[in-house]
Amino acid sequence: MLAIGIIGASGYTGFELVKIALKHKHISKIKLYGHSSSGQSYSKLYPELSGFNCIIEAIEYIDFTLDVYFLALPHTKSIEIVEKLVKSYKCIIDLSADFRLNSKDLYDLVYHQNHTASELLTTKVYGLSEFVSSDKFKCASVIANPGCFPTVTLLSLLPLVKNFSNKINSISTVAYSGVSGAGKTSTADLSYSEMFGNTKAYSVLTHRHQPEIEQELQNNFPYSITMHLLPVKRGIYATHTIFLNEAIEYEKLNEVYQSTYKEKAFVRMREMPPELNWVIQTNYCDINFQVKGKNIVITSCIDNLIKGASGQAIQNMNLNFGFNETEGLI
Amino acid sequence: MLAIGIIGASGYTGFELVKIALKHKHISKIKLYGHSSSGQSYSKLYPELSGFNCIIEAIEYIDFTLDVYFLALPHTKSIEIVEKLVKSYKCIIDLSADFRLNSKDLYDLVYHQNHTASELLTTKVYGLSEFVSSDKFKCASVIANPGCFPTVTLLSLLPLVKNFSNKINSISTVAYSGVSGAGKTSTADLSYSEMFGNTKAYSVLTHRHQPEIEQELQNNFPYSITMHLLPVKRGIYATHTIFLNEAIEYEKLNEVYQSTYKEKAFVRMREMPPELNWVIQTNYCDINFQVKGKNIVITSCIDNLIKGASGQAIQNMNLNFGFNETEGLI
Amino acid sequence: MLAIGIIGASGYTGFELVKIALKHKHISKIKLYGHSSSGQSYSKLYPELSGFNCIIEAIEYIDFTLDVYFLALPHTKSIEIVEKLVKSYKCIIDLSADFRLNSKDLYDLVYHQNHTASELLTTKVYGLSEFVSSDKFKCASVIANPGCFPTVTLLSLLPLVKNFSNKINSISTVAYSGVSGAGKTSTADLSYSEMFGNTKAYSVLTHRHQPEIEQELQNNFPYSITMHLLPVKRGIYATHTIFLNEAIEYEKLNEVYQSTYKEKAFVRMREMPPELNWVIQTNYCDINFQVKGKNIVITSCIDNLIKGASGQAIQNMNLNFGFNETEGLI
Amino acid sequence: MLAIGIIGASGYTGFELVKIALKHKHISKIKLYGHSSSGQSYSKLYPELSGFNCIIEAIEYIDFTLDVYFLALPHTKSIEIVEKLVKSYKCIIDLSADFRLNSKDLYDLVYHQNHTASELLTTKVYGLSEFVSSDKFKCASVIANPGCFPTVTLLSLLPLVKNFSNKINSISTVAYSGVSGAGKTSTADLSYSEMFGNTKAYSVLTHRHQPEIEQELQNNFPYSITMHLLPVKRGIYATHTIFLNEAIEYEKLNEVYQSTYKEKAFVRMREMPPELNWVIQTNYCDINFQVKGKNIVITSCIDNLIKGASGQAIQNMNLNFGFNETEGLI
């Protein structure tokens, strides 16, 4: 049985981690840490969990004897804590962006920071669960949990790109995310009155998830992704338009996707474009592709807080400890 | 032609006032004032109005030569400004709660303030447009624009209460308001993520609109109102349950409502419970009543930002200057 | 281990039953029945459950050897089937309104039907789980699962009414329900375009849940309930305004509610008015009351598809078989 | 002063036409026609317009003496009526897709019909208001009002494509439309319960607006558009990803867009990606472009029922009769 710590427990991904952990067979102890929320009872913060009266403790006083640490902190806030934890050889799963990129230079550029633990960038595991080989998990120092947009995009595109890279002319992704993607926040432009009936693109051509996607895609063709706010609480819907230099037969494409995912519990290949509601409150990623001549359109979706964050983090923990991959998640 | 000033132009009621004023035949000049928003171009704040590049000026530098002043400030912030304006005998329409109550003692109690211009509480006109006699407007020092909940409630109940007071055992109102009722705000509990799919009661048994309603209702029976947030941007839906000591015939009730409102442009008596969408973006109040034995249920709705605030303010201006009541509003 | 049949599996309550049953420790076999949906694969109807490829069978061919039958049919469609099932002494849980009322005359009047199995109206158990004595379950012929509005209303009012009936002058309930309360339907007035940003009262003074509530309340004071559509998918929020003839001390009221529910897993007394989202996707009913002089306001909420239908049905099954009350529900 | 007929008045575009027509200075008479809705009072169908008691007449009895006819009928239903009307040399504005394509063969293929008035396909004017030369309007036999997706897409792309066609490698559009785009309908998959919190792609690689767009774009590069449902009532948000063979300077691009639209009342070039709410209930199309190397992203939005349908129809009428382009629309 594992004792886990959730560092940054007060946000939405922290809340999802708590809910999954409470149902998880192999977790017997949960400790919560936070900055401004420290000292508060969790059931006061989230009255949904009225029976869970755990008190959030100050991050300064982390118990270093736990088995697994989930860091659900804002970007750039994980580095220092990970540096301390890594020394005790515990399982560390970082949900921030701090260890996703492989290159310190790229990280410093994209996040306007000086990464002080850059050696971990090369030893970490990029935890896109379906694409990590099982032996890698065992020796992981830090598991960098992928971003929400990279998760849905890479699961959709990797089988295509890995197998038909030379036939691809260009790929563009247009993704719409529920507002919870911005965290538990109080900015005026994300108020209910402002977002009701509304949508908008943001960070056009400058979103930080694009370098992360391109790092994993290793694309030798132009790639572009544009993010939007969807006027719902949760879920990401992504549409990938692929132009080919040379047509690919539907059957060949299908074979590649089927063989990639047939043993994977959380990717469901669909015969029709999926609906967002099919994956809400689940760890699934649903994917469909349509082909017409040299044009392929792939549509896919996840729950940003689960497969795009906390669910995949638990999936990574399960894989790392050799538990059933779906434990706590179905 | 009138020159108007909108003091507190940056909020939602300010925005509605600007939109109506821009279409109003008898308004030739609009000046905008604000605190934190001063110095900004209005079209930057509200890109919807891309052609209206008016700069918001500081409240400290109000031009005292205008004809009409609309105060769209938070409660307790209007008093000092009204005191200055009232000396120049201009038309002042205050959309805050500062002049709605008749009694200084009650105001001080309810708003936790010391009202420093209490003589105006007795000389002001309570601007529930449909119930102000035309001669009252002409000599008004200050027109206190009613609250949004009082507007929809009083229009629904006054005909009944004025005519059948002695038959009423009790009345309770349950009202649901769109989130814009809280203003253009950025508190976490009104964020899109928190309010999506949500609703809740608030200020139960302590809402400040109850004393305002009871002042106008002059009820000699128990009255109670409970407010809720409706997960939409705008609109108030109110349900009034009346228990009678003695039945009232449907026809008699109907006669009273029809005769009260038949000449009123903005109250529409309905044969079925109204839908909120019928009144959104309009200055209408739609009302229906159903009778069964000694039980009457009245349902009614308004757009909180228009009939519940800025629309009624313009309606009051129209009535005060002898313009067509519907000018700028239809 | 139980084998269960879900009759009327294609609707929203059927879907919730299936989801709970799939997680329930004591259920080993699920059979599905439907009219127009018969012959279809369930995972085609509900792609969320992609792994559950159960075929819906025709209601005409019900297997009479199962242990428990859940009827999730429209009102008036259950009677004939229950008549057949009851002969084999199985556990029958009817989610329709067909067996909720005690009086045949009242049923015939309210549902415009001739009830052909009226003897069962007197022997049935009205399955408001928290108020059924455990010995009653054991001998139940039919368990009539309460309506969604009665569930939230009775849980909120019964402690008050049972203990302080003589002090009550009147009670009115105003309830808002998510659109799923109307079932999986395709009428134009419940389309997304019509209900977006909208709300409205319906069945004012004529809703069929009022007689059901009054039957259980046994009120000797005027009672009235008014239903509305809330522009969300699921959840009911109910506000109960009580006028008293004589004040009740807060502490006494609190004592009554605390003692009624302290052993009940699914009723949570709250210190503040609950938020609808606290109970969504759960079997909880959250309740708060506020007192001011002779006026009490109780606010309460449930998920209409779970505590208001399928969750309570499973809770009733658990209680009937002596399982842990919360099995499958937490 | 004009007398107009609205054929197909009961749908959402009919309703928008009525609302605009009622405010239009040069329209003195409105006649309404419908199939299943004939005989009904318009204010019964749309209680919002309680004062407009016009009766919808049967399409069979169209008055041929009116000045302008707006056809707001489903696709394929306009042809026969237009054939009759065109003989009397009246102004005919068809909001269906029946006259948008230039080629009979393409029409027959895309709409699975035999177009019986194909000579009008070549003489009609394709009414993308901003791109019709003023002399063309005067001699128009039929004005084919563009589709909603083509309107927002062509306004966004035409300046680029007309000026830099040889530098373009490919363009893909991903568009999200409010549910009203499907008309006033009652299909189960567009019910409030199904679409709440939901989104999905539809008609992937087969949508009928793609041939319409490509006809006007005259693209010699790959083009693809994918449509989605946005969980709101109204509005279309479109994101256009352009990959270039050769970079285009921002200033040159800006010059082209500015000069194309500087005299156009209803296209607003924006410095930031627009928000959908900026254009709701208006005839505006808001457009922004961002450039990074050989990648351009254009975001744009319209109200699908106004600029994407009824507003543009009135704009076309205004231009055809030499009225102020914005009459009735601002």
Side-chain angles (χ1 to χ4, degrees):
Chain A
M1 297 294 279
L2 301 176
I4 69 163
I6 299 173
I7 302 165
S10 67
Y12 289 137
T13 51
F15 179 47
E16 296 297 326
L17 281 168
V18 169
K19 285 192 290 182
I20 297 170
L22 285 170
K23 292 184 303 180
H24 198 287
K25 267 188 205 171
H26 302 297
I27 293 175
S28 56
K29 188 178 173 184
I30 304 169
K31 296 197 82 170
L32 308 178
Y33 299 95
H35 283 297
S36 58
S37 61
S38 82
Q40 288 192 54
S41 161
Y42 207 67
S43 60
K44 203 127 203 181
L45 207 59
Y46 287 102
E48 294 90 327
L49 293 179
S50 58
F52 185 62
N53 296 310
C54 188
I55 303 295
I56 302 175
E57 299 174 52
I59 292 186
E60 290 69 35
Y61 302 106
I62 291 181
D63 176 349
F64 283 92
T65 70
L66 306 175
D67 303 301
V68 189
Y69 297 87
F70 295 95
L71 286 82
L73 295 167
H75 304 327
T76 77
K77 304 295 182 198
S78 287
I79 298 175
E80 198 187 348
I81 298 167
V82 166
E83 281 185 287
K84 285 182 196 158
L85 290 170
V86 82
K87 290 173 190 154
S88 51
Y89 299 100
K90 299 304 174 63
C91 177
I92 305 163
I93 301 175
D94 181 27
L95 285 80
S96 87
D98 282 352
F99 295 91
R100 293 178 193 155
L101 296 179
N102 298 335
S103 149
K104 172 177 160 48
D105 288 353
L106 187 58
Y107 179 89
D108 292 357
L109 184 72
V110 171
Y111 290 93
H112 309 307
Q113 284 285 320
N114 175 29
H115 201 299
T116 56
S118 60
E119 69 289 356
L120 292 173
L121 293 179
T122 53
T123 60
K124 64 93 195 300
V125 168
Y126 184 79
L128 185 69
S129 311
E130 283 71 15
F131 285 86
V132 185
S133 65
S134 56
D135 54 319
K136 270 219 160 172
F137 268 124
K138 302 296 159 51
C139 58
S141 62
V142 183
I143 299 171
N145 219 50
C148 51
F149 292 114
T151 294
V152 70
T153 297
L154 293 169
L155 290 174
S156 304
L157 296 181
L158 277 177
L160 173 73
V161 173
K162 280 174 178 284
N163 289 278
F164 303 101
S165 187
N166 61 324
K167 298 193 175 178
I168 298 171
N169 175 271
S170 65
I171 301 183
S172 60
T173 298
V174 170
Y176 277 68
S177 170
V179 181
S180 65
K184 197 171 179 180
T185 180
S186 60
T187 58
D189 58 333
L190 299 181
S191 73
Y192 198 80
S193 292
E194 286 301 300
M195 280 306 301
F196 184 72
N198 204 5
T199 191
K200 60 179 165 186
Y202 65 96
S203 304
V204 174
L205 289 173
T206 63
H207 198 284
R208 291 163 165 178
H209 283 179
Q210 175 147 355
E212 182 183 336
I213 292 169
E214 297 207 50
Q215 165 185 291
E216 300 299 314
L217 222 46
Q218 298 182 36
N219 51 306
N220 55 359
F221 47 80
Y223 177 76
S224 177
I225 180 165
T226 306
M227 279 74 173
H228 302 71
L229 283 177
L230 188 67
V232 304
K233 176 165 185 180
R234 53 203 295 163
I236 293 181
Y237 203 92
T239 304
H240 317 275
T241 306
I242 298 106
F243 290 117
L244 300 169
N245 295 316
E246 191 185 328
I248 302 172
E249 283 171 52
Y250 178 87
E251 288 70 22
K252 288 211 169 147
L253 200 56
N254 197 30
E255 211 175 281
V256 162
Y257 277 86
Q258 294 296 345
S259 68
T260 305
Y261 292 127
K262 77 174 166 227
E263 314 259 292
K264 302 297 179 187
F266 291 117
V267 177
R268 300 188 293 201
M269 293 306 302
R270 295 291 192 174
E271 287 171 30
M272 294 176 53
E275 300 189 23
L276 184 58
N277 276 346
W278 296 352
V279 300
I280 293 303
Q281 301 280 0
T282 81
N283 197 50
Y284 291 110
C285 175
D286 281 10
I287 302 174
N288 170 263
F289 60 86
Q290 300 288 331
V291 181
K292 188 180 180 185
K294 296 186 190 168
N295 190 188
I296 299 172
V297 172
I298 302 178
T299 47
S300 51
C301 51
I302 59 169
D303 186 314
N304 59 312
L305 297 177
I306 302 185
K307 183 59 176 168
S310 306
Q312 184 158 243
I314 296 285
Q315 188 182 358
N316 284 334
M317 183 194 80
N318 288 341
L319 292 169
N320 190 61
F321 284 89
F323 302 149
N324 189 332
E325 186 176 8
T326 64
E327 177 53 39
L329 296 170
I330 279 185
Chain B
M1 297 295 279
L2 301 176
I4 70 164
I6 299 174
I7 301 165
S10 66
Y12 288 138
T13 51
F15 179 46
E16 295 297 325
L17 280 168
V18 168
K19 285 193 291 183
I20 298 169
L22 284 169
K23 293 184 303 181
H24 198 288
K25 267 188 203 169
H26 302 297
I27 293 174
S28 57
K29 187 180 175 181
I30 303 170
K31 297 197 81 170
L32 308 178
Y33 298 95
H35 282 298
S36 58
S37 61
S38 82
Q40 288 192 55
S41 161
Y42 208 68
S43 61
K44 203 128 203 181
L45 207 59
Y46 287 103
E48 294 90 324
L49 293 180
S50 58
F52 184 63
N53 297 311
C54 187
I55 303 295
I56 302 175
E57 299 174 52
I59 291 186
E60 290 69 37
Y61 302 106
I62 290 180
D63 177 348
F64 284 91
T65 69
L66 307 175
D67 303 301
V68 188
Y69 297 87
F70 295 94
L71 284 83
L73 295 168
H75 304 328
T76 76
K77 303 295 183 199
S78 285
I79 297 176
E80 197 186 350
I81 298 168
V82 166
E83 282 185 285
K84 284 181 195 159
L85 290 169
V86 82
K87 290 173 191 152
S88 53
Y89 300 100
K90 298 305 174 62
C91 177
I92 304 164
I93 300 175
D94 181 27
L95 284 81
S96 86
D98 283 352
F99 295 91
R100 293 178 194 155
L101 296 179
N102 298 336
S103 148
K104 171 177 161 48
D105 288 351
L106 186 58
Y107 179 89
D108 292 357
L109 183 73
V110 170
Y111 289 93
H112 309 307
Q113 285 285 319
N114 175 29
H115 202 299
T116 55
S118 59
E119 68 289 356
L120 292 173
L121 293 178
T122 52
T123 60
K124 63 95 194 300
V125 168
Y126 184 78
L128 184 70
S129 311
E130 283 71 15
F131 285 87
V132 185
S133 65
S134 57
D135 53 321
K136 270 221 159 169
F137 268 125
K138 302 295 158 50
C139 56
S141 62
V142 182
I143 298 171
N145 220 51
C148 50
F149 292 113
T151 294
V152 69
T153 297
L154 293 169
L155 291 174
S156 303
L157 295 181
L158 278 176
L160 173 73
V161 173
K162 281 175 178 284
N163 289 278
F164 302 100
S165 187
N166 59 325
K167 297 193 176 179
I168 298 171
N169 174 272
S170 65
I171 302 184
S172 61
T173 297
V174 170
Y176 276 68
S177 170
V179 181
S180 66
K184 197 172 180 179
T185 179
S186 60
T187 59
D189 59 333
L190 299 181
S191 73
Y192 197 79
S193 291
E194 288 299 303
M195 280 307 301
F196 184 72
N198 206 4
T199 191
K200 61 178 163 187
Y202 64 97
S203 304
V204 174
L205 289 173
T206 62
H207 199 285
R208 289 162 166 179
H209 283 178
Q210 175 148 353
E212 182 183 337
I213 291 168
E214 296 207 51
Q215 165 186 291
E216 300 300 313
L217 221 47
Q218 299 181 35
N219 50 305
N220 55 359
F221 48 80
Y223 177 77
S224 177
I225 180 166
T226 307
M227 281 73 174
H228 302 71
L229 283 177
L230 188 67
V232 303
K233 177 165 186 180
R234 54 203 294 163
I236 293 182
Y237 203 92
T239 304
H240 317 276
T241 306
I242 298 105
F243 291 117
L244 301 170
N245 295 315
E246 191 186 327
I248 302 171
E249 283 172 51
Y250 178 88
E251 288 70 22
K252 287 209 171 150
L253 201 56
N254 197 30
E255 211 176 281
V256 162
Y257 277 86
Q258 295 296 345
S259 68
T260 305
Y261 292 128
K262 76 173 170 230
E263 314 259 292
K264 303 298 180 187
F266 290 118
V267 177
R268 300 188 293 201
M269 294 307 301
R270 294 292 192 173
E271 286 172 29
M272 293 175 54
E275 300 189 22
L276 184 58
N277 276 345
W278 295 353
V279 300
I280 294 302
Q281 300 280 2
T282 81
N283 197 50
Y284 291 110
C285 176
D286 281 10
I287 302 174
N288 171 262
F289 60 86
Q290 300 288 331
V291 181
K292 188 179 178 184
K294 295 186 190 168
N295 189 189
I296 299 171
V297 173
I298 302 178
T299 47
S300 51
C301 51
I302 58 170
D303 186 315
N304 59 311
L305 297 176
I306 302 185
K307 182 59 176 168
S310 306
Q312 185 158 244
I314 296 285
Q315 187 181 358
N316 284 333
M317 183 194 81
N318 287 342
L319 291 170
N320 190 60
F321 285 88
F323 301 149
N324 189 333
E325 184 177 8
T326 64
E327 177 53 38
L329 296 171
I330 281 185
Chain C
M1 297 295 279
L2 301 177
I4 70 163
I6 299 173
I7 303 166
S10 66
Y12 289 136
T13 51
F15 179 47
E16 295 298 325
L17 280 168
V18 168
K19 284 193 290 183
I20 298 169
L22 285 169
K23 292 184 304 181
H24 198 288
K25 268 189 205 171
H26 301 297
I27 293 175
S28 57
K29 188 179 173 183
I30 304 170
K31 297 197 79 171
L32 307 178
Y33 299 96
H35 283 296
S36 57
S37 62
S38 81
Q40 287 192 55
S41 161
Y42 207 68
S43 60
K44 203 128 204 179
L45 207 58
Y46 286 102
E48 293 91 325
L49 294 180
S50 58
F52 184 63
N53 296 311
C54 186
I55 303 297
I56 302 175
E57 299 175 52
I59 291 186
E60 290 70 37
Y61 302 107
I62 290 180
D63 177 347
F64 284 92
T65 69
L66 306 176
D67 302 302
V68 189
Y69 297 87
F70 295 94
L71 284 83
L73 296 167
H75 303 328
T76 78
K77 303 295 182 199
S78 286
I79 297 175
E80 198 186 349
I81 298 168
V82 166
E83 282 185 287
K84 284 182 197 158
L85 290 170
V86 82
K87 289 172 191 154
S88 51
Y89 299 100
K90 298 305 174 64
C91 177
I92 304 162
I93 300 175
D94 182 28
L95 285 82
S96 87
D98 282 353
F99 295 91
R100 293 178 194 155
L101 296 179
N102 298 335
S103 148
K104 172 179 160 48
D105 288 353
L106 186 58
Y107 179 89
D108 291 358
L109 184 72
V110 171
Y111 289 93
H112 309 306
Q113 285 284 321
N114 175 28
H115 201 299
T116 56
S118 58
E119 69 290 356
L120 292 173
L121 294 178
T122 52
T123 60
K124 65 96 194 301
V125 168
Y126 184 78
L128 185 69
S129 311
E130 282 71 15
F131 284 87
V132 185
S133 64
S134 57
D135 53 319
K136 269 218 159 170
F137 268 125
K138 302 296 158 51
C139 58
S141 62
V142 183
I143 299 170
N145 219 51
C148 50
F149 292 113
T151 294
V152 70
T153 298
L154 293 169
L155 290 175
S156 304
L157 296 182
L158 277 177
L160 173 73
V161 173
K162 280 174 179 285
N163 289 278
F164 303 100
S165 188
N166 60 322
K167 297 193 175 177
I168 299 171
N169 175 270
S170 65
I171 302 183
S172 60
T173 298
V174 170
Y176 277 68
S177 171
V179 181
S180 65
K184 198 172 178 180
T185 180
S186 61
T187 58
D189 58 334
L190 299 182
S191 73
Y192 198 79
S193 292
E194 287 299 303
M195 278 308 301
F196 184 72
N198 205 3
T199 191
K200 61 178 164 187
Y202 65 95
S203 304
V204 174
L205 288 174
T206 62
H207 198 284
R208 290 162 166 181
H209 283 179
Q210 175 149 356
E212 183 183 335
I213 291 168
E214 297 208 48
Q215 165 184 291
E216 300 299 313
L217 221 47
Q218 299 182 39
N219 51 305
N220 55 358
F221 47 80
Y223 178 76
S224 177
I225 180 166
T226 305
M227 279 74 173
H228 302 71
L229 284 176
L230 188 69
V232 303
K233 177 165 185 180
R234 53 201 296 162
I236 292 182
Y237 204 92
T239 304
H240 316 275
T241 306
I242 297 106
F243 290 118
L244 300 170
N245 295 315
E246 192 184 327
I248 302 172
E249 282 172 51
Y250 178 87
E251 288 71 23
K252 288 208 171 153
L253 201 56
N254 197 30
E255 210 176 281
V256 161
Y257 276 87
Q258 294 296 345
S259 68
T260 305
Y261 291 128
K262 76 174 167 227
E263 314 260 291
K264 302 298 180 187
F266 291 118
V267 176
R268 299 188 294 201
M269 293 306 302
R270 295 291 193 174
E271 285 171 30
M272 293 176 54
E275 299 190 23
L276 184 58
N277 276 346
W278 295 352
V279 299
I280 292 303
Q281 300 280 0
T282 81
N283 197 51
Y284 290 110
C285 176
D286 281 10
I287 301 175
N288 170 262
F289 61 85
Q290 300 289 332
V291 181
K292 189 179 180 184
K294 296 186 188 168
N295 189 188
I296 299 171
V297 173
I298 302 177
T299 47
S300 51
C301 51
I302 58 170
D303 185 315
N304 59 312
L305 297 176
I306 302 185
K307 183 58 178 168
S310 307
Q312 185 158 243
I314 296 285
Q315 188 182 357
N316 283 334
M317 183 194 80
N318 287 342
L319 291 169
N320 190 61
F321 285 88
F323 301 149
N324 189 332
E325 185 176 9
T326 63
E327 177 52 40
L329 297 170
I330 280 186
Chain D
M1 296 295 278
L2 301 177
I4 71 163
I6 299 173
I7 302 166
S10 67
Y12 289 137
T13 51
F15 178 47
E16 295 297 326
L17 280 168
V18 168
K19 284 192 292 183
I20 298 170
L22 286 169
K23 293 184 304 180
H24 198 287
K25 267 188 203 168
H26 302 296
I27 293 175
S28 57
K29 187 178 173 183
I30 304 170
K31 297 198 79 171
L32 307 178
Y33 298 95
H35 283 296
S36 57
S37 61
S38 82
Q40 288 191 55
S41 161
Y42 207 67
S43 61
K44 203 127 204 180
L45 207 59
Y46 287 103
E48 294 92 325
L49 293 180
S50 58
F52 185 62
N53 297 310
C54 187
I55 303 296
I56 302 175
E57 299 175 51
I59 291 186
E60 291 69 37
Y61 302 106
I62 291 180
D63 176 347
F64 284 92
T65 68
L66 306 175
D67 303 301
V68 189
Y69 296 88
F70 295 94
L71 285 83
L73 294 168
H75 303 330
T76 78
K77 303 296 182 197
S78 286
I79 298 175
E80 197 185 351
I81 298 168
V82 166
E83 282 186 287
K84 283 182 196 157
L85 290 170
V86 81
K87 290 174 191 152
S88 50
Y89 299 101
K90 297 306 174 62
C91 177
I92 304 163
I93 300 175
D94 182 27
L95 284 81
S96 87
D98 283 353
F99 294 92
R100 293 177 193 156
L101 296 178
N102 298 335
S103 148
K104 171 177 161 47
D105 289 351
L106 187 58
Y107 179 89
D108 291 358
L109 184 73
V110 171
Y111 290 93
H112 310 305
Q113 284 284 320
N114 175 28
H115 201 300
T116 55
S118 58
E119 69 288 356
L120 293 173
L121 293 178
T122 53
T123 60
K124 65 94 196 300
V125 168
Y126 184 79
L128 185 70
S129 312
E130 282 72 13
F131 285 87
V132 185
S133 65
S134 57
D135 52 319
K136 270 220 160 171
F137 268 124
K138 301 298 158 47
C139 57
S141 63
V142 183
I143 299 171
N145 219 52
C148 50
F149 292 113
T151 295
V152 69
T153 298
L154 293 168
L155 291 175
S156 304
L157 296 180
L158 278 176
L160 172 74
V161 173
K162 280 174 178 286
N163 288 280
F164 303 99
S165 186
N166 61 324
K167 297 191 175 178
I168 297 171
N169 175 272
S170 65
I171 301 183
S172 61
T173 298
V174 170
Y176 276 68
S177 170
V179 182
S180 65
K184 197 173 179 178
T185 179
S186 60
T187 58
D189 58 332
L190 299 180
S191 73
Y192 197 79
S193 292
E194 287 300 302
M195 280 307 300
F196 184 73
N198 206 5
T199 190
K200 62 179 164 186
Y202 64 96
S203 305
V204 173
L205 289 173
T206 62
H207 198 284
R208 290 162 166 179
H209 283 178
Q210 174 148 355
E212 181 183 337
I213 291 169
E214 296 207 49
Q215 165 185 291
E216 300 299 314
L217 221 46
Q218 298 182 38
N219 51 306
N220 55 359
F221 48 79
Y223 178 75
S224 177
I225 180 167
T226 306
M227 280 73 173
H228 303 71
L229 283 176
L230 188 67
V232 304
K233 176 164 187 181
R234 54 202 295 163
I236 293 181
Y237 203 93
T239 305
H240 317 275
T241 306
I242 298 106
F243 290 117
L244 300 169
N245 296 315
E246 190 185 328
I248 302 171
E249 283 171 51
Y250 178 88
E251 288 70 23
K252 287 208 170 151
L253 201 56
N254 196 30
E255 210 176 282
V256 161
Y257 277 86
Q258 295 296 345
S259 68
T260 306
Y261 292 127
K262 75 173 168 228
E263 315 259 291
K264 303 299 179 186
F266 290 116
V267 177
R268 300 188 293 200
M269 293 307 302
R270 295 291 191 174
E271 285 170 31
M272 293 176 54
E275 300 189 23
L276 184 58
N277 275 347
W278 296 352
V279 299
I280 294 303
Q281 300 281 0
T282 81
N283 197 52
Y284 290 110
C285 176
D286 281 11
I287 301 174
N288 171 262
F289 61 86
Q290 299 289 331
V291 181
K292 187 180 180 185
K294 295 185 188 168
N295 189 188
I296 299 171
V297 172
I298 303 178
T299 46
S300 51
C301 51
I302 59 169
D303 186 314
N304 59 311
L305 297 176
I306 301 185
K307 183 58 177 169
S310 307
Q312 184 158 243
I314 296 284
Q315 187 182 358
N316 283 334
M317 183 195 81
N318 287 342
L319 292 168
N320 190 59
F321 285 88
F323 302 149
N324 189 333
E325 186 177 8
T326 64
E327 176 54 38
L329 296 170
I330 280 185

